[in-house]
């Protein structure tokens, strides 16, 4: 019964992770928000940690969840930049390595948050140099302009070097803070599970398993029908030149 409980929890956490990436992530990418990596990345790290906590084998469980999330994100939110897919993959693989070697504790969670947030802040520079083969200095110029555009809302002028240090430092600090918040959320969930849900969860899972068995065939057909619509409609819509507002409406739908 505990295995069944964990399986249901992992399925729901994976669905929530996909919703976070293609819903909230697509919404913030449509508006080119400078803090997409902090908000979306923080929720992703929380969900990765929870999935790993409920899984018996971290690697295959997270690989399966990552594959589902990437496919859903590609189908529902095709306007998201390719760096978003790199960020999700890096968070997952680094989390798998950390949690496999050192287990899930407040040290590994905070370290995961700090490193992945720094990667999110520097991934533009890394993409230009590693993937596109630009020289470090040319990549630095492009990265400086990109950071300046992201932080154009600041009311005062700052030198390029100071701007980059502030941007990267802010992401690193945010990763540490988010890591501590995730630790508190997991501890809160543990206390709720032991104090309130212990007796009732078994009955809920038993009832839900029996209900799901009878409706499995109908739900399977409905699921694939909806998935085909989700995949086809956005890809068809984004073939045409659409405004940012139209792209946002398509993403929400």
């Amino acid at each position: 019964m505990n295995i069944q409980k964990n399986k249901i929890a992992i399925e729901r956490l994976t669905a929530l992770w996909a919703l976070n990436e293609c819903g909230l992530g697509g919404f913030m990418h449509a508006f080119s928000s400078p803090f997409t990596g902090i908000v979306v990345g923080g929720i992703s790290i929380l969900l990765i940690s929870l999935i790993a906590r409920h899984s018996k084998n971290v690697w295959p469980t997270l690989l399966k969840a990552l594959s589902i999330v990437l496919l859903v994100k590609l189908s529902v939110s095709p306007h998201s930049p390719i760096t978003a897919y790199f960020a999700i993959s890096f968070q997952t693989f680094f989390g798998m390595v950390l949690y496999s070697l050192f287990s899930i504790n407040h040290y590994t969670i905070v370290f995961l948050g700090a490193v992945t947030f720094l990667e999110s802040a520097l991934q533009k520079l890394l993409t230009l140099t590693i993937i596109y083969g630009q020289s470090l200095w040319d990549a630095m110029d492009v990265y400086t302009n990109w950071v300046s555009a992201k932080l154009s809302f600041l009311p005062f002028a700052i030198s390029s070097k100071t701007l980059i240090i502030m941007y990267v430092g802010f992401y690193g600090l945010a990763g540490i803070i988010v890591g501590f918040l995730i630790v508190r959320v997991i501890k809160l969930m543990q206390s709720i599970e032991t104090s309130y849900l212990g007796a009732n969860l078994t009955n809920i899972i038993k009832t839900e398993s029996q209900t799901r068995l009878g409706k499995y065939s109908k739900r399977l057909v409905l699921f694939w029908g909806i998935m085909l619509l989700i995949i086809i409609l956005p890809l068809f819509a984004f073939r045409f030149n659409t405004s940012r507002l139209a792209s946002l409406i398509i993403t929400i739908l």
Side-chain angles (χ1 to χ4, degrees):
M1 190 62 67
N2 189 51
I3 296 176
Q4 180 67 17
K5 179 191 73 172
N6 288 334
K7 182 180 178 181
I8 294 175
I10 291 172
E11 289 176 355
R12 292 175 175 175
L13 289 169
T14 303
L16 186 59
W17 187 11
L19 178 63
N20 171 62
E21 291 294 339
C22 65
L24 181 60
F27 181 86
M28 298 187 74
H29 281 303
F31 282 101
S32 300
S33 172
F35 304 116
T36 302
I38 293 177
V39 178
V40 179
I43 298 175
S44 295
I45 295 171
L46 170 62
L47 296 173
I48 289 171
S49 302
L50 291 174
I51 292 173
R53 177 174 169 264
H54 285 88
S55 63
K56 185 177 180 181
N57 298 313
V58 174
W59 279 82
T61 304
L62 280 176
L63 280 176
K64 180 181 178 181
L66 174 64
S67 302
I68 294 173
V69 171
L70 291 179
L71 287 173
V72 173
K73 185 175 181 64
L74 181 62
S75 303
V76 180
S77 188
H79 63 281
S80 297
I82 192 172
T83 51
Y85 299 90
F86 291 147
I88 302 169
S89 301
F90 180 81
Q91 289 169 353
T92 307
F93 280 102
F94 193 65
M96 288 188 293
V97 172
L98 272 181
Y99 295 151
S100 299
L101 294 177
F102 305 105
S103 74
I104 305 173
N105 53 66
H106 61 281
Y107 295 108
T108 53
I109 293 174
V110 172
F111 189 63
L112 176 64
V115 173
T116 54
F117 271 46
L118 286 174
E119 185 275 336
S120 179
L122 294 171
Q123 67 178 355
K124 181 74 173 181
L125 181 62
L126 297 174
T127 303
L128 291 172
T129 54
I130 297 175
I131 297 179
Y132 294 103
Q134 292 190 11
S135 66
L136 180 60
W137 299 114
D138 291 339
M140 284 294 293
D141 291 336
V142 176
Y143 182 69
T144 301
N145 295 331
W146 180 76
V147 173
S148 300
K150 288 285 185 181
L151 301 181
S152 59
F153 59 87
L154 293 176
F156 47 87
I158 305 176
S159 65
S160 300
K161 182 179 179 180
T162 305
L163 197 64
I164 292 176
I165 293 174
M166 286 178 57
Y167 184 74
V168 176
F170 178 76
Y171 261 78
L173 179 61
I176 296 173
I177 295 174
V178 167
F180 281 111
L181 290 175
I182 291 174
V183 171
R184 295 197 63 179
V185 169
I186 292 178
K187 288 182 178 179
L188 179 62
M189 294 179 65
Q190 289 174 338
S191 64
I192 292 175
E193 288 176 356
T194 55
S195 63
Y196 180 72
L197 296 178
N200 296 330
L201 195 57
T202 300
N203 295 329
I204 293 173
I205 293 172
K206 184 177 180 180
T207 304
E208 184 172 341
S209 299
Q210 294 172 348
T211 305
R212 290 174 65 186
L213 185 62
K215 299 180 179 178
Y216 179 76
S217 299
K218 295 180 180 179
R219 292 179 63 182
L220 187 63
V221 173
L222 179 63
F223 169 78
W224 283 112
I226 295 174
M227 283 300 297
L228 284 175
L229 288 176
I230 289 175
I231 292 172
I232 293 173
L233 291 179
L235 293 178
F236 177 78
F238 278 95
R239 290 178 56 191
F240 306 99
N241 293 326
T242 55
S243 65
R244 177 169 295 184
L245 179 60
S247 301
L248 178 61
I249 294 173
I250 291 172
T251 301
I252 294 174
L253 291 176

